[in-house]
Amino acid sequence: MGSVTELHPTGAAPEIQFTEVQFTEIQFTLSEVDGTIAGMARPLTPIVGRSDELATMQAVLEEAVGESARAMLVVGDAGVGKTRLLIEASAQASDRGWLRMVGHCIDFGDAGLPYLPISEAFGALERDRPELVESLVAEFAPLARLLPAHRRLVQQTAAFDDRVERGPLFDAVLGALEAVSATQPVLLIVEDVHWADQATRDLLGFLFARLRGERNIAIVVSYRSEDLHRRHPLRAVAAEWARLPGVTRLQLPPLTAEEIRALISDVRPVPLPEQTIERIIQRSGGNAFFAEQLLAAAADDDRASTVPAELADLLLVRLDRLSAEARLAVRAAAVAGRRVRHELLAAVVELPPDALEAALREAVDAHLLEPRGSEGYGFRHALLAEAVYADLLPGERVRLHASYAAALTRTATGSAAELSRHAHESHDLPMAFAASVRAGDEAMTVAAAEDAMRYYENALELAAHAPAEIEYPASTVAAKAANAASVAGHVFRAVALGKQAVADLPADAPPQLRAELLLGRARYGMPVDSETDALESTDEALRLVPIDPPTALRARIAVVHARCLLMLGRYADAARWGQEALMLGTRVADPEAVAEASTTLAVLDQRTGDPVSAAESLLAVRAEARERGNLTAELRSSYSLGGLYFELGELEKAVEAYEANAARAQEAGRPWSSYAIESRVMSVLTRYQLGDWDRSAAHASVVGESPSPLAEAMIKAAGLAVAAGRGEVTSLELLPALRSWSLRETMVAVQTVPAADLFVCAGQPQRALEHLDWLILELTGLWQTALIPSQVRISAIALATLSSMVSDLPQSGRPEIVERGSEYVTAVRAVLADQQRPERKLGAESHAWARRVEAEWLRLRWLAGLEAPTLEEQVAAWELSIEAFSYGDRYEVARSQTRLATVLRAAGRSAEASELAAAARDTARELGAAPLLAELRALGTSRRVEAAPTASGAQSLTGREREVLAFLEQGRTNRQIAKELYISEKTVSVHVSNILAKLGASSRTEAGAISRREGIG
């Protein structure tokens, strides 16, 4: 070995001596810190992301064994995942027979402890393998001075006869590692080297330089990149280390949005609202620790929008190290937000230009701020800005906000939104009101309705401070806020604000203004409020606006009045008011009123049996509205057109209209407004019926978007259809949140019907029935009638659920089941009788489910053996069900075919049964409908064909699915597979479901057997 003085020309040889305080601290440290990562439990959840980094570390370890010793510098911000990566990599190394040693550097400030991490590592080795360390000390005597038991207290005044020079000590450490590596590969990990003392840095540098030519040794050190300011002693040293042969520098970047999303899913299996997830992703900046802290805070409404205290303490450590001038600049920048222009910051910070520049340079060097373009600065991390701002004293915060408001007013730069915030926080309330209203108006012009709603609501709180020249500020601003809320998809908020606008209007206000506010209240209330309440609003508004002279306002009130009557089923009155609205709109040249009235009249044509005329009218209205730039009329007419085609069973035309409408709304910046969100929901459901399940599921995903909570609930509820068809029982996790929205919005409630099928898949048929009965009760309350159209489909699913239960019951328990089934049938027949009126004509889907109810009722009685129908009656009923669903619902056709095949087989018509089962099986395999495939296997026809997958089924497996299948063949659990592939258990579950469906396997065991037999995995 070379002399240590080759690395340190001065030849300085520091002695190992400690003060009493240092000795006490090191004794505590070495007793409390477990020196091996082997002693740290490997987390139950798989590591998120970092597959490339893990691969790099594994490659370095392989080179250390096969070629020569290697070293690695793992670099990243605090919380980015360095320790988690080292735990995973060291665990994998241990699995391959490596001896792991680990030491930690600790922040003792100026009282650094020499060689602490090395003492910790060898101390833990002495505890676990005392005989090994005893032999090492016998051969390398200086090593004994690093063992915790030998680092005794020595008074500074005492004679020190047994000094150890640095050269022999360093040689002893290297020799000990080489001796151990002769029989077993050694991995030495030193964490948090940014806190290392000079002696430890010197020792590491010596080891890095001397390991060339050795084998079976790898040294990995980690440090925080953001702590390495310009004068940090490790900065230059680390740069020298990285240039040495055999040393690899591994920089850990922030996790991607998808990886943070996966982390959230692993840590908190219960689904969170998409807006909450997106907020965590944005605020965390890809930092795993930050994301976990924010996730924990998200469960507490009082802390959800603040920086958790533990996280704030970590973030503010670097601020405390700055000079007073730099702290002032950073705090002022935090008041501006995450970014600030240099000119504006200079106007607020009371420092000379050269002093400000020096302060900013210090903040940049400390990695708190970073230059953004050529005009300003930004915080390196969003949470850092939040933490600094929260740490300000109240008076300091108010003063800085006032300075910003004055600077913005003086320079006439910035936006109304900036001025609104600074004026509000500095308690200049008149200025804050005016700026907030202007900010809301500006936001609406750039399709930022969510922001506009927030600005208007801020102004609404300050309405009492509005300038005297503004009339009725509370009502007018509430009306603006209601419109913004409606456009942003916050339907219930829009209703509340619309009602507030009317309630806050003085009795002596102009009648026209009251009529306008009543019109808004009716518009926002129709989708979710009682149609009767909306009708009362339009009734009052019509009384306030005279017939003569004709006005655009009266035309628009008449339009909404006609729509309310249409929704209440008063078709004759709706037609009369629709015609009046059309006439008025034409007379006053109001294209919006004309388009809305024409759409209402077209829908009436559809309802009363003239769909061709209705389609022609809607197409004309849509074209004219698009030409005139009337977005609201365009969206409503296009949505109505999709609904017309859907009711007729022309699903291809329907989905084209729905998706074009959703895309048009997205393009206009209103994806969550009325008719836009409904169009997206219907596109999900129509794609499902067409058998385009992959695209249906894609449309049902809101990942990366920011829908309103109601919009998210509507979309996710629609996505349950595909989830149920594929048997993805994990989707039941969504049900509690969806049921809470079901209490307020019928469109959410109705789309949760497939949850019953998921309960059956999960082996909980009784819970399926409980859910369906709960739905009937809630929908009856929401619609204020017992004759709810959804009763037909709900009852069909309930009857099928009862059939899945009855065969397992003793004969004595079956009459109760059949009686329960008869109650569903009775309710359905009452609904169908009500639907026989001309104005309530059944659509194709409703007609098909009505046929299905009759078939399922016969099936239940047949299986129960009570009042059993003949096989011929059942065959006829199931043939009618197949025919009815043949308008385009492929899955329900296949389910009906399967059940008809069961009846045909029982009747001895095996050939026909096999043909139908084969057709259903083809559909089920194409869709990945695992529950239906299981039902087909239970049918027992064409057993040979069912047991072996078709070539197309095996060939359709993706690369990842083949990897999962290989583990299934080995009998691995989902958790084991997740750890091997670095993915979540939930993702594994989805892959397993897809594999079972594609291979036609009923279980994991069968899938593994197929894989072995066919050589697929």
Side-chain angles (χ1 to χ4, degrees), residues 132-156:
L132 173 61
V133 174
E134 185 178 354
S135 65
L136 291 175
V137 170
E139 184 175 357
F140 306 102
L143 186 65
R145 295 302 305 277
L146 292 180
L147 298 179
H150 295 271
R151 301 189 79 166
R152 64 183 184 277
L153 176 65
V154 179
Q155 299 292 343
Q156 290 180 325

Side-chain angles (χ1 to χ4, degrees), residues 405-424:
L408 289 169
T409 303
R410 183 172 63 252
T411 60
T413 60
S415 65
E418 287 180 277
L419 182 58
S420 167
R421 174 172 173 264
H422 292 304
H424 191 281

Side-chain angles (χ1 to χ4, degrees), residues 775-789:
L775 266 181
I776 293 171
L777 183 64
E778 294 305 324
L779 290 171
T780 299
L782 288 169
W783 275 324
Q784 295 296 299
T785 176
L787 302 175
I788 54 173

Side-chain angles (χ1 to χ4, degrees), residues 5 29 40 116 182 253 266 321 351-352 417 438 475 480 517 612 742 872 957 993:
T5 55
T29 300
M40 300 171 65
L116 171 62
D266 285 339
R321 296 171 180 168
L351 288 175
R438 189 160 68 249
S475 291
K480 286 174 177 282
L517 297 181
V612 175
S742 298
E872 289 72 19
L957 293 176
S993 296

Side-chain angles (χ1 to χ4, degrees), residues 286-306:
N287 187 293
F289 175 72
F290 293 178
E292 290 176 353
Q293 292 295 311
L294 292 171
L295 181 59
D300 184 347
D301 292 338
D302 294 333
R303 297 195 303 145
S305 60
T306 61

Side-chain angles (χ1 to χ4, degrees), residues 852-898:
R852 179 68 161 274
V853 166
E854 295 301 327
E856 291 287 4
W857 175 227
L858 295 174
R859 175 177 174 237
L860 175 60
R861 286 153 49 204
W862 180 53
L863 292 172
L866 297 172
E867 301 179 12
T870 65
L871 292 174
E872 289 72 19
E873 288 176 317
Q874 291 189 76
V875 168
W878 283 112
E879 285 177 342
L880 287 174
S881 177
I882 293 170
E883 180 184 355
F885 279 113
S886 295
Y887 70 86
D889 194 329
R890 295 185 61 205
Y891 182 57
E892 295 306 336
V893 166
R895 285 216 282 192
S896 297
Q897 287 173 328
T898 301

Side-chain angles (χ1 to χ4, degrees), residues 206-336:
F206 172 80
L207 294 176
F208 291 158
R210 291 294 179 271
L211 285 177
R212 284 174 290 171
E214 305 297 334
R215 294 176 62 181
N216 291 346
I217 300 176
I219 302 177
V220 178
V221 304
S222 69
Y223 60 87
R224 296 179 186 173
S225 52
E226 78 270 31
D227 277 8
L228 267 59
H229 52 78
R230 284 193 168 194
R231 294 180 298 279
H232 195 288
L234 183 62
R235 185 164 183 165
V237 173
E240 294 176 3
W241 289 348
R243 288 193 290 268
L244 292 172
V247 177
T248 302
R249 186 178 187 275
L250 180 63
Q251 177 76 45
L252 297 192
L255 296 174
T256 65
E258 292 75 15
E259 290 166 346
I260 292 292
R261 186 178 295 277
L263 174 65
I264 292 171
S265 177
D266 285 339
V267 174
R268 186 186 174 112
V270 178
L272 287 173
E274 185 62 24
Q275 282 191 338
T276 301
I277 294 174
E278 282 295 310
R279 178 80 170 141
I280 291 173
I281 290 172
Q282 293 169 11
R283 295 177 74 198
S284 69
N287 187 293
F289 175 72
F290 293 178
E292 290 176 353
Q293 292 295 311
L294 292 171
L295 181 59
D300 184 347
D301 292 338
D302 294 333
R303 297 195 303 145
S305 60
T306 61
V307 181
E310 302 86 349
L311 187 51
D313 291 342
L314 173 65
L315 292 166
L316 292 174
V317 167
R318 281 174 286 157
L319 179 67
D320 296 337
R321 296 171 180 168
L322 299 180
S323 65
E325 293 79 7
R327 288 198 300 273
L328 175 62
V330 171
R331 286 169 174 158
V335 173

Side-chain angles (χ1 to χ4, degrees), residues 98-118:
W98 284 69
L99 171 67
R100 297 172 295 172
M101 301 172 64
V102 65
H104 302 82
C105 301
I106 298 176
D107 186 10
F108 282 111
D110 294 332
L113 302 174
Y115 311 117
L116 171 62
I118 307 303

